[in-house]
């Protein structure tokens, strides 16, 4: 009953934030959002066109059902705006329930986890209601909860669904495989790998039947992008411009602002290798921890922590860092069990607030390479690096539950 009361109270708060504070119920008043684009895709389908074959779409296949559901009850931009925000609220509430359940399993106080979840919602800002990244993030959270319960098939299906919604959840796959390998649980390892791969294949087959080239283009579109202006790499070049070094050229391409100069032209070809190196470093750290004789804490806390660290490394090494990417971390941080978790929470809240400052508040100033937003961007990216360091240090030194932690 206590848990139900907590969920109801926090659920009402989240509903107020989504629909009133973030103006989900007030079309035309919210910050710039992507719902008109999503409505365009959905309307194309309602007009009899097929994705990948009749019109291009740069998102993974399971994004389309998320665009279509609000279209079932809304056919004008204002109605769609409200329906899409309500859809994202629904997934946010699912995340709230999962956080309560997983926090208890990991030995953390559910009320603290839900309080953190709510603070992070306020820090991220209204962008969370008008992008679909929250859906993939909640699917990752579900997968980790299912994994902690021993629901092997459900966990791997959830991760497959998340990957086919937003791609990035695939970086969590090696974390789960490495844990099962360390336990010599080869049956679950093989079953899980096949389940994940089967989920990907089953979802991909209809798309390939519709148009192999169109489906391939939805992935190659992102591979061909340049250095996006908010990325870790870009913040270095923008600082260089302010300090009187090489000035990058800004151009709008692939639906976002990018920077280009003689260095970025070479760097963009190196980013896949940098990303692989960053991801490999996380997995090697996890292998070292799995082999440590000092390990005494719940292995599920390790899985959650290293899954989060893998996502952070992917964000930092990526040549694209859109503002909504911080949503990927939103439901995971409340269930990370660290003695330094309050420092982790403070870092993420700061990252969220600074991201709001950059987009949408001062995005035009950033494009113009004005001093203040460039420094804010550099600070945001530096804080994310610090966030990763906190996770890394906590992974080997502070994972045990602080003494006196309540599980109520």
């Amino acid at each position: 009953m206590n848990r139900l009361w907590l969920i109801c109270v926090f659920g009402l708060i989240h509903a107020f934030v989504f629909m009133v504070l973030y103006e989900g119920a007030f079309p035309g008043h919210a910050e710039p959002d992507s719902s008109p684009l999503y409505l365009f895709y959905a309307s194309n389908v309602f007009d009899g066109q097929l994705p990948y074959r009749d019109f291009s779409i740069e998102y993974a296949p399971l994004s389309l059902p998320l665009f279509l559901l609000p279209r079932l009850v809304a056919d004008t931009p204002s109605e769609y705006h409200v329906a899409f925000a309500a859809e994202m609220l629904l997934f946010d509430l699912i995340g709230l329930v999962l956080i309560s359940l997983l926090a208890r399993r990991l030995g953390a106080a559910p009320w603290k986890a839900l309080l953190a979840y709510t603070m992070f919602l306020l820090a991220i800002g209204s962008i969370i209601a008008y992008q679909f990244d929250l859906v993939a993030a909640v699917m990752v959270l579900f997968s980790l909860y299912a994994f902690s319960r021993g629901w092997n098939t459900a966990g791997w299906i959830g991760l497959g669904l998340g990957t086919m919604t937003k791609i990035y959840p695939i970086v969590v796959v090696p974390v789960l495989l490495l844990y099962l390998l360390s336990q010599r649980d080869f049956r679950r390892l093989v079953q899980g790998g096949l389940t994940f791969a089967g989920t990907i294949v089953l979802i991909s087959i209809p798309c390939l039947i519709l148009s192999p080239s169109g489906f391939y283009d939805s992935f190659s579109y992102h591979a061909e992008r340049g250095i996006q202006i908010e990325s870790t790499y870009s913040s270095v070049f923008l600082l260089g411009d302010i300090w009187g070094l090489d000035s990058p050229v800004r151009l709008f391409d692939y639906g976002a602002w990018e920077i280009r100069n003689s260095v970025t032209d070479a760097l963009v070809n190196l980013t896949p290798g940098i990303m692989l190196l960053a991801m490999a470093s996380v997995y090697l750290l996890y292998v070292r921890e799995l082999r440590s004789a000092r390990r005494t804490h719940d292995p599920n806390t390790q899985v959650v922590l290293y899954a989060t660290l893998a996502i952070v490394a992917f964000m930092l090494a990526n040549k694209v860092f859109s503002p909504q990417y911080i949503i990927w971390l939103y439901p995971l941080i409340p269930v990370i069990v660290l003695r330094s978790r309050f420092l982790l929470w403070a870092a993420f809240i700061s990252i969220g607030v600074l991201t709001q400052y950059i987009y949408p508040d001062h995005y035009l100033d950033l494009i113009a390479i004005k001093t203040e937003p460039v420094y804010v961007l550099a600070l945001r990216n530096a804080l994310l690096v610090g966030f990763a360091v906190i996770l890394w240090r906590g992974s080997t030194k502070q994972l045990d539950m602080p003494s006196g932690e309540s599980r109520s």
Side-chain angles (χ1 to χ4, degrees):
M1 188 65 180
N2 186 42
R3 186 190 306 172
L4 180 61
W5 178 83
L6 275 174
I7 291 173
C8 289
V9 169
F10 280 104
L12 288 173
I13 294 172
H14 281 235
F16 175 81
V17 172
F18 265 78
M19 304 310 293
V20 179
L21 189 61
Y22 290 163
E23 301 184 318
F26 304 101
H29 294 87
E31 299 288 358
D33 62 78
S34 294
S35 57
L37 176 63
Y38 303 158
L39 173 60
F40 170 75
Y41 290 141
S43 296
N44 282 348
V45 175
F46 273 69
D47 290 341
Q49 300 183 53
L50 294 175
Y52 303 116
R53 190 192 72 179
D54 299 327
F55 65 93
S56 299
I57 178 170
E58 68 268 29
Y59 299 119
L62 288 187
S63 64
L64 198 61
L66 300 173
F67 306 156
L68 291 173
L69 284 175
R71 182 63 177 78
L72 293 173
V73 297
D75 55 7
T76 67
S78 59
E79 292 173 347
Y80 191 87
H81 170 101
V82 177
F84 189 83
E87 182 182 34
M88 292 304 104
L89 171 61
L90 175 61
F91 279 95
D92 180 77
L93 296 178
I94 293 171
L96 189 146
V97 174
L98 289 171
I99 284 171
S100 175
L101 296 171
L102 184 54
R104 179 175 288 272
R105 287 197 62 81
L106 299 181
W111 74 267
K112 290 183 181 179
L114 295 180
L115 178 60
Y117 190 54
T118 304
M119 291 190 299
F120 299 159
L121 174 62
L122 295 171
I124 289 171
S126 62
I127 194 171
I128 196 169
Y130 312 119
Q131 301 284 344
F132 67 94
D133 296 67
L134 178 59
V135 178
V138 170
M139 287 181 178
V140 172
L141 179 66
F142 168 77
S143 298
L144 296 176
Y145 174 68
F147 194 79
S148 75
R149 293 294 303 267
W151 302 343
N152 195 51
T153 300
W156 286 104
I157 290 175
L159 200 55
L161 295 176
T163 299
M164 296 307 283
T165 301
K166 197 64 184 183
I167 303 302
Y168 82 87
I170 198 170
V171 304
V172 177
V173 171
V175 174
L176 303 186
L177 292 178
L178 287 170
Y179 173 74
L180 294 174
L181 185 62
S182 73
Q183 299 297 302
R184 299 185 180 277
D185 194 342
F186 300 114
R187 183 186 64 83
R188 288 181 65 199
L189 189 152
V190 173
Q191 181 192 55
L194 291 176
T195 300
F196 176 80
T199 302
I200 300 296
V201 170
L202 285 175
I203 295 171
S204 299
I205 286 175
C207 304
L208 289 169
I209 292 174
L210 286 175
S211 174
S213 60
F215 186 52
Y216 171 79
D217 288 344
S218 69
F219 296 96
S220 63
Y221 173 92
H222 298 283
E224 294 167 359
R225 295 179 67 174
I227 303 296
Q228 195 248 357
I229 199 168
E230 295 159 78
S231 66
T232 312
Y233 309 105
S234 175
S235 57
V236 175
F237 291 107
L238 294 179
L239 284 173
D241 180 90
I242 289 176
W243 295 339
L245 303 176
D246 191 21
S247 297
V249 175
R250 287 90 68 206
L251 70 159
F252 191 81
D253 202 5
Y254 292 91
W257 284 94
E258 299 178 354
I259 62 166
R260 288 187 185 172
N261 59 21
S262 57
V263 179
T264 61
D265 290 342
L267 179 61
V268 74
N269 296 319
L270 297 176
T271 52
I274 296 172
M275 186 177 297
L276 288 175
L277 182 60
M279 304 311 304
S281 299
V282 173
Y283 303 140
L284 288 173
L285 282 172
Y286 187 39
V287 169
R288 187 186 69 173
E289 178 61 18
L290 288 170
R291 292 178 175 178
S292 172
R294 298 180 292 105
R295 228 171 9 100
T296 59
H297 37 263
D298 183 354
N300 288 316
T301 62
Q302 281 185 307
V303 169
V304 173
L305 188 149
Y306 277 97
T308 307
L309 186 56
I311 294 171
V312 174
F314 179 80
M315 293 167 62
L316 286 170
N318 203 326
K319 61 186 177 181
V320 177
F321 190 163
S322 297
Q324 65 267 25
Y325 285 11
I326 63 169
I327 299 171
W328 301 353
L329 305 173
Y330 163 60
L332 299 180
I333 306 169
V335 293
I336 292 176
V337 179
L338 287 177
R339 287 195 178 95
S340 58
R341 67 196 183 285
F342 296 122
L343 179 60
L344 197 72
W345 294 358
F348 185 74
I349 289 171
S350 301
I351 289 167
V353 171
L354 292 175
T355 301
Q356 280 197 68
Y357 175 91
I358 297 164
Y359 183 90
D361 295 347
H362 295 85
Y363 204 65
L364 293 178
D365 292 335
L366 178 66
I367 295 168
I369 315 185
K370 293 187 177 180
T371 301
E372 188 172 290
V374 168
Y375 278 120
V376 170
L377 174 66
L379 178 59
R380 192 280 303 271
N381 290 341
L383 277 173
L384 190 60
V385 173
F387 184 91
V389 171
I390 296 170
L391 289 173
W392 166 65
R393 287 179 59 83
S395 67
T396 56
K397 297 180 180 180
Q398 305 178 63
L399 254 174
D400 294 328
M401 174 61 61
S403 59
E405 176 71 82
S406 168
R407 299 190 182 197
S408 62

